[in-house]
Amino acid sequence: MKKRKVGMALSLVLAAGTLLGACGKSNDSKGNGADNKKTFSVGMVTDIGGVDDKSFNQSSWEGLKNFGKENGLKKGKGGYDYLQSKSDADYTTNLNTLVRQGFDLVYAIGFLMPSAVEEIAKQQKDSKFAIVDAEVKLPNVASILFKEQEAGFLAGIAAAKTTKSDHIGFIGGMEIPVVERFETGFLAGVKAAKPEVKVDVQYAGAFDKAEVGQAIASKMYSSGADVIFHAAGASGVGLFKEANDRKKKDPGKDIWAIGVDRDQADMGQDVVLTSALKRVDVAVKDLATKTKAGNFPGGEVALYGLTEDGVGLAPINAKAANKAEIEAVVKEWIEKIKSGEVKVPETQEELKAFNPK
């Protein structure tokens, strides 16, 4: 009997302890929920251009940082962060790493990543992904695309209105739809502003070869071009180096370069005429904000153009001789595009039929 009573007493003590422990855990959990509520976190994987490519990846990172600051987040796990890819072999690993670190939304930056996103998104069905410049048709992936042709068009207007030699150039990174839309829009803008202008078009074949971009720019300037627009990522850095070097040797000569994606005025105050803005920063911040609010557009395409403030043109360099004229003409075309009066061509076939008024 004594053993039975001791056993019953011990059971009662254990039960009471368990109940008290449960109550304590319940209160602690409630307290943590109130005081340490899990914040919405966002991460991104860069393509091989790197986060400081002065262009596409950098713009994406700026958008993520803006979202983080606006929401009181810190860089790192539980806030906002990025992983840099040194080669395409890093894409799946980096995406998976951010998912395992608990980020609520993971961005894949660039057209090179759809297969990697598709692979990881199928494995991690409870995670949310967004890809920039490509489309992945999965319910847990949102795709972000831009009307690059509209930004390219405005750059073409500015270039045509600036050139004195009636000879300008376009340097592309790789021959992919995104860059070809920039090129097509640029050619359409030149056609609309000054159809007699000659345009040299060359591709670097990569987005991370500044030396190739510089070599192409050198040949174009030497052949008479006085304005060159690039849509070549980090390869475009070579354009700015060439323009700056030539300007230093001959300060009185007209040598202009047009940037891309972000305002690249910091690449040369004497040579950067303007930049064709592709507001990846706006799109990244916008989609993160929607997702945080519970409006993740999984399986859909978010398209950003002039109307959505997704593309545009950076301020014209104050040293441009006819700055006011360029700004006035650009403004007119922006209004025509936004109103639907003019549809900027995005393919070479559409360009052939384009009849600017």
Side-chain angles (χ1 to χ4, degrees), residues 32 163 168 173 176 181 205 248 293 297 357:
N32 287 336
T163 180
I168 61 182
I176 58 171
R181 286 195 290 272
K248 287 178 182 177
K357 297 179 181 179

Side-chain angles (χ1 to χ4, degrees), residues 103-107 124 126-130 140-141 291 296:
F103 285 92
D104 297 296
L105 176 63
V106 177
Y107 283 95
Q124 307 285 356
D126 293 332
S127 297
K128 295 181 177 66
F129 300 87
N140 59 335
V141 181
T291 304
F296 175 65

